[in-house]
């Protein structure tokens, strides 16, 4: 059981893809004791998991499988352990991705991952590399507690998630005339398509909210 007088211990999944040290630094800034994890044996005593990621969906799943981390992540997330997926890490939470074929995901959130459609222009190229507005969904915004709807966060991605259940969307963002789900929340499972670790004070606020959720003991 989590000692409410101590900082929560978070395991940052290290599978070779992601801004691990930026995430760790952001966590420590808000009082989260964050450690790098590349083996399931070291995950037994953590209070939560962060799954970061930059790169291709299929490659990420292959690396997680090779490190024997897939079953551990899904089992513990389903049992109530708080989980935050960031960028590619959020996409991995869904059933499958259409990136370079068909690749199965963790299946924790029903839905798929698809590429931005339409012709590119000077202002809205693929990938999206920019600060963009994140509009929160009032009924599902634990991650955004105290963060104003329309706050800008930093994005870097070519694919986005399409959840089956609209109610899991914690925020939406517009790009290339598409309003897409840019953050998710389902019970103890959270996700952010943007990079909070690269989004300044508002990103740190999001990590603080994740910490507050863990310490609330709601899971």
């Amino acid at each position: 059981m989590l000692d409410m007088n101590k900082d929560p211990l978070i395991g940052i999944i290290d599978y070779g893809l992601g801004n691990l040290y930026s995430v760790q630094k952001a966590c420590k800034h808000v009082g989260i004791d964050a450690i790098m994890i590349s083996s399931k044996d070291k995950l037994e005593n953590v209070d939560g998991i962060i799954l970061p990621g930059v790169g291709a969906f299929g490659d990420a799943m292959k690396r997680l499988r090779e490190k024997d981390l897939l079953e551990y992540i899904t089992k513990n997330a389903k049992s109530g352990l708080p989980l935050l997926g960031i960028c590619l890490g959020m996409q991995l939470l869904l059933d499958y991705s259409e990136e370079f074929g068909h690749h199965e995901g963790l299946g924790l959130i029903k839905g798929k991952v698809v590429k931005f459609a339409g012709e590119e222009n000077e202002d809205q190229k693929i990938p999206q590399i920019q600060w963009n507005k994140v509009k929160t969904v009032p009924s599902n915004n634990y991650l955004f507690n105290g963060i104003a709807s329309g706050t800008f966060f930093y994005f870097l991605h070519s694919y986005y998630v399409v959840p089956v259940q609209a109610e899991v969307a914690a925020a939406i963002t517009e790009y290339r005339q598409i309003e897409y789900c840019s953050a998710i929340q389902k019970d103890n499972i959270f996700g952010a398509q943007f990079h909070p670790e690269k989004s300044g004070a508002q990103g740190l606020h999001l990590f603080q909210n994740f910490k507050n959720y863990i310490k609330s003991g709601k899971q």
Side-chain angles (χ1 to χ4, degrees):
M1 179 178 288
L2 175 63
D3 184 343
M4 297 301 173
N5 295 316
K6 294 183 178 180
D7 292 336
L9 176 63
I10 298 294
I12 301 174
I13 304 297
D14 178 7
Y15 58 105
L17 296 174
N19 300 305
L20 302 180
Y21 293 101
S22 296
V23 172
Q24 184 182 45
K25 183 177 180 180
C27 286
K28 290 189 174 181
H29 188 88
V30 300
I32 295 174
D33 186 8
I35 58 174
M36 304 298 184
I37 298 292
S38 58
S39 168
K40 64 180 182 180
D41 298 332
K42 297 181 180 180
L43 281 163
E44 295 302 327
N45 298 313
V46 298
D47 302 307
I49 299 173
I50 293 180
L51 180 62
V54 175
F57 190 103
D59 189 25
M61 288 298 294
K62 178 183 177 182
R63 293 187 183 210
L64 288 171
R65 190 174 296 109
E66 289 173 346
K67 289 181 175 293
D68 197 23
L69 288 167
L70 289 179
E71 183 180 356
Y72 177 86
I73 294 171
T74 55
K75 181 184 70 174
N76 282 278
K78 289 178 179 179
S79 71
L81 189 69
L83 168 61
L84 171 62
I86 297 175
C87 195
L88 175 60
M90 167 172 146
Q91 296 178 5
L92 295 174
L93 302 178
L94 277 76
D95 290 320
Y96 70 94
S97 173
E98 297 177 356
E99 185 177 10
F100 305 122
H102 180 102
H103 300 281
E104 299 295 324
L106 295 171
L108 294 169
I109 301 291
K110 295 298 180 184
K112 61 184 178 179
V113 181
V114 302
K115 189 174 184 178
F116 284 116
E119 296 183 3
E120 292 189 16
N121 57 56
E122 285 299 315
D123 296 325
Q124 296 192 323
K125 295 182 177 181
I126 299 176
Q128 176 183 197
I129 308 176
Q130 66 176 55
W131 292 78
N132 204 346
K133 288 182 180 179
V134 173
K135 295 182 286 185
T136 59
V137 178
S139 62
N140 198 14
N141 62 354
Y142 202 102
L143 273 185
F144 296 94
N145 185 30
I147 300 174
S149 182
T151 295
F152 282 82
F153 287 86
Y154 182 76
F155 288 83
L156 171 55
H157 65 119
S158 300
Y159 289 75
Y160 63 95
V161 303
V162 183
V164 170
Q165 298 173 310
E167 59 267 27
V168 306
I172 57 174
T173 296
E174 184 177 346
Y175 193 68
R176 297 173 69 88
Q177 288 78 53
I178 299 170
E179 277 200 336
Y180 68 93
C181 174
S182 55
I184 56 178
Q185 176 181 328
K186 182 181 179 183
D187 301 322
N188 58 298
I189 299 172
F190 302 87
Q193 181 61 68
F194 51 86
H195 288 275
E197 77 280 8
K198 293 185 176 182
S199 297
Q202 57 269 39
L204 293 175
H205 194 149
L206 188 143
F207 281 111
Q208 179 69 53
N209 285 342
F210 185 57
K211 172 187 174 180
N212 291 345
Y213 173 81
I214 294 171
K215 296 198 74 172
S216 73
K218 290 186 177 182
Q219 61 277 11

